[in-house]
Amino acid sequence: MNFFSYRGALFRLSLRRRKIDKYYKKQYSEAKKTGDKKKIEDIEIVAPHELDEVDDEIHYLQQRYLISIATKMLLQVPPVMSEEKGGQWEQSNVTGKWQLTSEGMRELRQLIRTEQKESTELFARWITIIVGLIGALTGLVAIIKKWKMHNKKIE
């Protein structure tokens, strides 16, 4: 999963969540005004469940994105094992899918950041070496040209 497809999917899920939230807030407000206790109870039961479903999808999307980055970087993804057994995975109460715990996602993000930092530092070292070599070669060319010009004046 690349960055743009991840951000697009995340945007669509966030938009869906806002629409659901706005819809139920409006329904709740109308039910409060009319005093419809049955409708209020229904909304209080259904709305959190629908929002939890979207939140679960968002969490699952974020997890898939982190795992795809870690896999591309050849980093170890925590094996699927429940928290009770010492793992960093939990089963969603809403969808039943296995997902990384908050701690597991935090550790995976930290691994990714560390790897990115190391690769950036390595790249910076190489750039420094290359710029230094270019500077040395430029100086050497200037000295050779000056030496040739000096030798032509002598002849």
Side-chain angles (χ1 to χ4, degrees):
M1 170 179 289
N2 68 37
F3 176 77
F4 296 108
S5 63
Y6 162 70
R7 294 303 295 183
L10 186 61
F11 175 77
R12 287 187 297 277
L13 285 170
S14 297
L15 188 63
R16 191 168 119 205
R17 189 186 194 293
R18 282 192 300 269
K19 284 181 180 178
I20 290 169
D21 191 43
K22 185 178 178 181
Y23 172 78
Y24 281 113
K25 282 183 179 177
K26 183 179 177 185
Q27 293 294 317
Y28 187 81
S29 176
E30 289 173 4
K32 273 283 220 201
K33 285 179 185 174
T34 61
D36 189 349
K37 291 184 181 186
K38 173 73 172 125
K39 190 172 184 180
I40 291 172
E41 288 176 12
D42 289 346
I43 292 170
E44 288 175 344
I45 292 170
V46 174
H49 181 69
E50 284 192 35
L51 290 171
D52 285 347
E53 282 180 1
V54 177
D55 289 340
D56 209 50
E57 287 181 50
I58 290 171
H59 183 85
Y60 188 72
L61 175 69
Q62 291 169 335
Q63 162 193 302
R64 281 189 10 232
Y65 180 64
L66 283 177
I67 289 173
S68 73
I69 292 172
T71 303
K72 287 175 190 169
M73 297 175 120
L74 303 175
L75 297 173
Q76 178 77 30
V77 176
V80 178
M81 191 184 314
S82 67
E83 274 187 293
E84 294 83 37
K85 295 181 181 177
Q88 296 179 337
W89 293 79
E90 62 189 0
Q91 200 165 11
S92 168
N93 295 331
V94 179
T95 62
K97 293 179 182 177
W98 283 94
Q99 57 191 21
L100 280 168
T101 61
S102 298
E103 180 66 21
M105 287 183 69
R106 188 191 64 73
E107 286 183 23
L108 193 54
R109 276 193 305 272
Q110 185 60 43
L111 278 173
I112 291 168
R113 283 188 200 114
T114 302
E115 185 67 24
Q116 287 173 335
K117 181 180 176 188
E118 288 173 4
S119 66
T120 302
E121 287 172 356
L122 181 62
F123 179 74
R125 281 189 214 129
W126 277 106
I127 291 296
T128 303
I129 290 170
I130 290 170
V131 168
L133 286 174
I134 290 171
L137 288 173
T138 304
L140 185 61
V141 167
I143 290 172
I144 291 172
K145 279 187 173 186
K146 191 169 189 168
W147 181 71
K148 282 185 179 181
M149 294 282 268
H150 180 59
N151 281 343
K152 282 186 181 181
K153 286 182 183 179
I154 293 176
E155 293 175 358

